[in-house]
Amino acid sequence: PVRGFAVAGGPFERTLSALSRQWSWRPGCLLRVLGVMAAEGAVVLSASDEGIADAALRLREGGLVAFPTETVYGLGANALNTQAVLKVFSTKGRPLTDPLIVHVASKSDALQVVDMEGEGRAVFDVLADKFWPGGLTVVARAQPHIPDTLSAGTGSVGVRVPAHPLALRLIREAGVPVAAPSANRFGHVSPTCAAHVMADLGASPIAVLDGDQAGVVQHTCRHGIESTVVKIDVEERELVLFRRGAISEASLRRALEVAGLSETFRVRVVQKHVPMDQSATPVAAETAVPASVVGQEAPGQLITHYAPDLPTYLATEDPEAETLARQDLEHTVVLDFGGSMVHLKPHTLGYQDLSPGGTCEEAARSLFASLRWTEEVEGADRVVIADVEQLAPQDEAALSLADRIFRAASGRRVRIQVRMA
């Protein structure tokens, strides 16, 4: 059940029955929307004209709205309202050193957020024309009117045009750029349906625009992982890949090559594993970014990220890694890929295959929901996930998926030592 909810207008069974006749629901993401509200805290808005208008008004007035995109659900605020942006940090428990991405409805709107005059404009045009609307975030020098809070004091900000009809309608109706990280508590598994948002943030005074209804559900979180983040560095003549995501590195390189820019701007991949600061104090809504503090240039750099509330490990054949014996599997949940560990299934407490067919795109779509499922397996002590980078080295999406799995496991690896009869 979703915490903090009360069913209005009759018994739950009757309300649920009525809802099931009206909408087709995403597997594992059933959310009581009509006739359901948070007793104290979040409210859920349907994907109707009225619901979108309500959400847009809340954004204009400084409120927070969680909304669906083609990657994951975002927790949005008016990007030009510093106090609203600070509420995003405090609601998530996110440190001010971790910057936010600004969502806009068009390329021309993006140019009101980032300053792309000069040599970098050609690269920006290629990326925007090829990948927007879509799962690519472009980091560049922020326009002067963009609050420093968004950029973690770096002077640069990420911007993208999402490829989800509800997200675009919301942004256009709100009439403001929308700053939005993933709509979950900081460091936890990203949300790919509205129920995930409510499970993490249901006690907070936010609205959730439901993207899991018939008519829009096919657009919701179809990538399953966050956007790719790149920075156009004009001085170094580089396209810096900070975070792998929905758009592959190979796709970026091809786009530059087709445009004749691959020799002018080289692609450089940055692999950062920033430790999680466990001593950081929660962000108050009125807190400003200290002038002396400069944060990360892009989100998704922490070594512990997208992590379930269970110790999580990446399966490995490395003989130097910690060993997991057969008896340990009795309290282990395994997330497999392509049936590589199916022989362990009878010995585990829980087992799911992220992609029985062994495709990384399919696995990415199911990863975050599966990680959240592991938390619900009673008696589980740990999670072990297959190493997709080793199992699918030719798949362009493997590196993005492997990045999420590596950070979900905080870089920890385990070798499973099981003798089969």
Side-chain angles (χ1 to χ4, degrees):
V2 180
R3 295 192 297 261
F5 274 79
V7 178
F12 171 71
E13 290 80 8
R14 186 167 67 247
T15 304
L16 182 58
S17 176
L19 289 175
S20 65
R21 290 194 297 270
Q22 295 179 53
W23 290 326
S24 63
W25 297 91
R26 304 181 70 206
C29 290
L30 183 60
L31 181 66
R32 284 83 73 185
V33 178
L34 292 180
V36 182
M37 64 172 60
E40 292 181 5
V43 295
V44 181
L45 305 176
S46 67
S48 61
D49 292 343
E50 293 79 8
I52 294 170
D54 188 344
L57 178 61
R58 290 170 185 265
L59 287 175
R60 287 195 299 273
E61 292 183 343
L64 304 187
V65 176
F67 62 96
T69 76
E70 78 282 18
T71 57
V72 298
Y73 269 77
L75 180 62
N78 179 353
L80 303 180
N81 182 331
T82 299
Q83 292 306 310
V85 170
L86 287 169
K87 283 193 287 188
V88 171
F89 286 94
S90 60
T91 298
K92 282 178 58 72
R94 184 185 183 97
L96 292 170
T97 52
D98 204 356
L100 304 184
I101 293 169
V102 179
H103 296 69
V104 295
S106 68
K107 175 182 170 181
S108 60
D109 289 342
L111 291 171
Q112 302 301 310
V113 176
V114 293
D115 180 1
M116 284 312 313
E117 296 302 321
E119 291 184 274
R121 178 60 186 267
V123 178
F124 175 84
D125 286 341
V126 167
L127 298 177
D129 294 343
K130 175 67 176 177
F131 299 112
W132 286 353
L136 179 69
T137 294
V138 178
V139 177
R141 185 168 63 250
Q143 293 282 11
H145 63 277
I146 298 299
D148 286 341
T149 311
L150 289 174
S151 67
T154 64
S156 298
V157 67
V159 63
R160 84 177 185 100
V161 179
H164 193 295
L166 276 186
L168 291 172
R169 284 189 63 190
L170 173 63
I171 295 166
R172 290 184 182 120
E173 184 142 350
V176 296
V178 177
S182 56
N184 58 322
R185 53 187 167 86
F186 184 67
H188 193 221
V189 183
S190 298
T192 53
C193 64
H196 294 165
V197 180
M198 297 308 303
D200 276 20
L201 304 179
S204 301
I206 68 172
V208 181
L209 186 59
D210 179 41
D212 303 322
Q213 302 172 213
V216 294
V217 65
Q218 68 272 24
H219 303 286
T220 299
C221 304
R222 56 186 173 85
H223 290 299
I225 59 175
E226 294 81 357
S227 64
T228 298
V229 179
V230 297
K231 179 182 180 181
I232 300 174
D233 189 331
V234 176
E235 291 184 0
E236 298 296 329
R237 305 184 76 78
E238 291 179 335
L239 184 67
V240 185
L241 176 55
F242 276 115
R243 182 178 77 183
R244 299 185 186 276
I247 305 300
S248 70
E249 177 188 344
S251 296
L252 295 170
R253 292 182 183 277
R254 282 195 297 268
L256 292 181
E257 185 175 356
V258 169
L261 293 171
S262 58
E263 297 297 325
T264 308
F265 275 79
R266 70 184 184 97
V267 176
R268 179 167 64 91
V269 180
V270 173
Q271 295 274 26
K272 283 189 177 181
H273 302 137
V274 180
M276 177 80 82
D277 185 1
Q278 302 291 349
S279 64
T281 55
V283 179
E286 67 278 3
T287 302
V289 180
S292 59
V293 173
V294 176
Q296 303 164 48
E297 290 189 85
Q301 307 291 291
L302 294 171
I303 191 169
T304 301
H305 215 43
Y306 325 111
D309 295 331
L310 283 171
T312 302
Y313 301 86
L314 185 63
T316 182
E317 296 297 325
D318 184 355
E320 300 298 319
E322 177 184 344
T323 299
L324 200 63
R326 179 167 179 164
Q327 61 267 28
D328 297 321
L329 289 175
E330 296 176 1
H331 300 283
T332 299
V333 178
V334 169
L335 295 183
D336 202 358
F337 178 83
S340 66
M341 296 189 288
V342 70
H343 60 285
L344 301 177
K345 184 176 180 180
H347 310 290
T348 65
L349 183 62
Y351 173 95
Q352 277 190 12
D353 197 322
L354 298 173
S355 173
T359 67
C360 289
E361 285 191 359
E362 180 184 25
R365 286 193 293 269
S366 62
L367 175 63
F368 290 151
S370 294
L371 285 171
R372 284 177 178 264
W373 166 76
T374 66
E375 298 174 334
E376 305 302 320
V377 178
E378 189 174 353
D381 288 342
R382 68 187 66 82
V383 180
V384 175
I385 314 179
D387 187 347
V388 299
E389 189 173 357
Q390 294 297 318
L391 295 170
Q394 304 305 315
D395 192 322
E396 284 190 6
L399 293 176
S400 298
L401 178 60
D403 172 81
R404 299 308 186 275
I405 292 173
F406 180 84
R407 295 179 195 275
S410 302
R412 296 174 296 201
R413 299 177 184 270
V414 68
R415 183 168 63 97
I416 301 176
Q417 190 172 30
V418 178
R419 293 188 179 184
M420 306 303 296

